[in-house]
Structures are given as C-alpha cells and as structure tokens.
Amino acid sequence: MSARSDLVPLQPGDRAPNVVLDAITQEGKIALDDFRGQKPVLVGLFRGLHCAFCRRHIAAQARLDPELREKGVESLTVVNTPIERARLYFRYHPMPNLLAASDPERASHRAFGLPNLEFTENETNWPYKVSMAAVKDMRVDIPSELPGPMDPIAAGEILDKRDHYELTEADEQMMATGHGQLVGQFLLDRQGIVRWSFTEVPEGGRYMFGAPNPQELMSAVSQVAQ
C-alpha cells in the first residue's frame, strides 16, 4: 500500500473528528463524541501491541491515569491490534482502569493525520517514505532496558525478548500493512478541540519511538482542566 502524502497531524486549535471503535477493556463501542461536552480526554494512538516501544508508551500513559482522573481528564488508548488479540494481551498484562480500543484498520490514525511510513530501499521523503538505511541510522536509547543507543530494529528484538513477546498471526497481519504507522498523543478539551499533542512526525524522525515529557503533558492537562 502506497503511503498517503497528504496527511498532516492535527495541531492545537484543530477540532478532532469523531471516531467509533471496538472497546477492548469493556463491552461495546467507544466514540470520541462520548467525551465531547463531558470531559477532556487524552487520546493515545499507538501501533499494534507487536511494537515493543508502543507497549512501553501504553504503560506510561496508563501510569498517568490516576493524575489525569484527579484533574477530570479521561485517558483513551488505541492500538492497531485485532480485538481478540488485544483482549488476550491485556488479560495477562492488566493495567488498572485502562480504557482501550481496537483499531486494526488504523482509521483513527488517518483521521488525526498520522502517516503510515512506507519503507523503501533507498528513498526517504519524511514522513511518508523512509529508506532502510535511514531507519538503521536512527538510535533508540532506553538506559534501563538497552545496553546503549542502537538502531530500532535491534532494540525492538531485545525488548521483545525481555517481554517474552511472541508474534502471532494477527500481529504479523498488522505488521504487513501498518509496521510504519506513525503514532501520537492528543489532548482534547471538553469541546473536542486539540490543545496539546506529541507525535513522531516532526523533524525528520527525531521523535521516532520517543515519548512526551510527563511534566509538559501534565502542564497542558492543568490548563485544559481549568
């Protein structure tokens, strides 16, 4: 599938679209319009659970949930993983009060303007195409879990082994079409307007596999919660 070259992430001041997804940690559907007019919501749009980095970002967002709730802000995690696979994962890796939804088609990511990177042999047109050489030139550093900065492919393999994560057929299907899906987090106010965001898109991949500064995020939350 060719990468769309017209996707641009939503920015502060933009109105978020409504997206309706299958709920993972409860029955039924979850819609962004459920929050509109009710409470602010932090929406985390991640790759599938096959992504070792995203598993860590999901856990990090979940750890902030008590602070978010204290300020009246909901937290929604969206993963590019089929619902049964996702439910199985969270059954064995429970996260208290986690509100999560399944989006194997990545409709929410497109709606929020997050491109799906196409991996090429030697062409880079960030954030729509990236060469494998450019990927291997990237460096990921998680001091508590990696021996040092390394390329994301090698880092992912080490983290998968640490997690004892074994790919399933469902994971492989997601990777076949969405392995390059860029991700991000968007803080929406009560009216569904983006007030803060962090994505992998800016600056030619500088923020790939990274996470937002928690203090910066909570500062934005405090402003939205007023």
Side-chain angles (χ1 to χ4, degrees), residues 114-193:
L114 294 170
N116 183 21
L117 269 176
E118 178 183 345
F119 295 102
T120 70
E121 186 173 341
N122 52 29
E123 180 185 1
T124 293
N125 177 26
W126 189 268
Y128 309 108
K129 296 182 180 181
V130 64
S131 70
M132 290 308 299
V135 171
K136 289 190 175 183
D137 281 343
M138 294 178 181
R139 287 295 176 265
V140 178
D141 188 15
I142 307 177
S144 61
E145 298 190 86
L146 297 175
M150 60 181 61
D151 76 77
I153 297 173
E157 292 174 353
I158 290 175
L159 296 177
D160 280 342
K161 288 180 181 178
R162 285 181 61 96
D163 297 345
H164 304 288
Y165 192 92
E166 296 184 6
L167 293 177
T168 66
E169 182 178 350
D171 291 323
E172 292 172 349
Q173 289 174 349
M174 294 300 97
M175 292 170 67
T177 57
H179 201 38
Q181 177 63 61
L182 298 183
V183 304
Q185 291 165 278
F186 298 82
L187 179 62
L188 312 184
D189 66 15
R190 289 177 181 82
Q191 287 71 47
I193 305 300

Side-chain angles (χ1 to χ4, degrees), residues 19 21-22 24 43-52 54-55 58 76-87 89-90 100-112 114-117 165 167-184 200:
V19 180
L21 304 170
D22 289 320
I24 296 170
V43 182
L45 303 175
F46 301 104
R47 282 179 284 277
L49 293 166
H50 60 266
C51 170
C54 289
R55 294 196 298 271
I58 291 165
L76 174 62
T77 291
V78 180
V79 293
N80 305 151
T81 300
I83 189 164
E84 291 306 323
R85 171 59 168 160
R87 283 178 171 168
Y89 177 84
F90 287 117
S102 168
D103 186 6
E105 302 299 325
R106 307 188 310 283
S108 55
H109 295 68
R110 289 191 295 275
F112 276 76
L114 294 170
N116 183 21
L117 269 176
Y165 192 92
L167 293 177
T168 66
E169 182 178 350
D171 291 323
E172 292 172 349
Q173 289 174 349
M174 294 300 97
M175 292 170 67
T177 57
H179 201 38
Q181 177 63 61
L182 298 183
V183 304
E200 292 180 315

Side-chain angles (χ1 to χ4, degrees), residues 15-115:
R15 183 178 179 84
N18 184 38
V19 180
V20 182
L21 304 170
D22 289 320
I24 296 170
T25 47
Q26 62 186 40
E27 296 302 319
K29 303 281 187 178
I30 296 176
L32 287 186
D33 273 0
D34 294 341
F35 306 99
R36 215 178 300 269
Q38 303 297 319
K39 61 177 65 175
V41 57
L42 175 64
V43 182
L45 303 175
F46 301 104
R47 282 179 284 277
L49 293 166
H50 60 266
C51 170
F53 309 106
C54 289
R55 294 196 298 271
R56 282 154 177 78
H57 299 332
I58 291 165
Q61 181 167 315
R63 285 193 294 272
L64 286 175
D65 193 63
E67 292 183 67
L68 295 171
R69 288 178 182 272
E70 281 184 10
K71 294 183 178 296
V73 177
E74 187 60 85
S75 175
L76 174 62
T77 291
V78 180
V79 293
N80 305 151
T81 300
I83 189 164
E84 291 306 323
R85 171 59 168 160
R87 283 178 171 168
L88 180 64
Y89 177 84
F90 287 117
R91 189 177 307 149
Y92 287 97
H93 301 83
M95 299 179 191
N97 300 314
L98 177 72
L99 182 63
S102 168
D103 186 6
E105 302 299 325
R106 307 188 310 283
S108 55
H109 295 68
R110 289 191 295 275
F112 276 76
L114 294 170

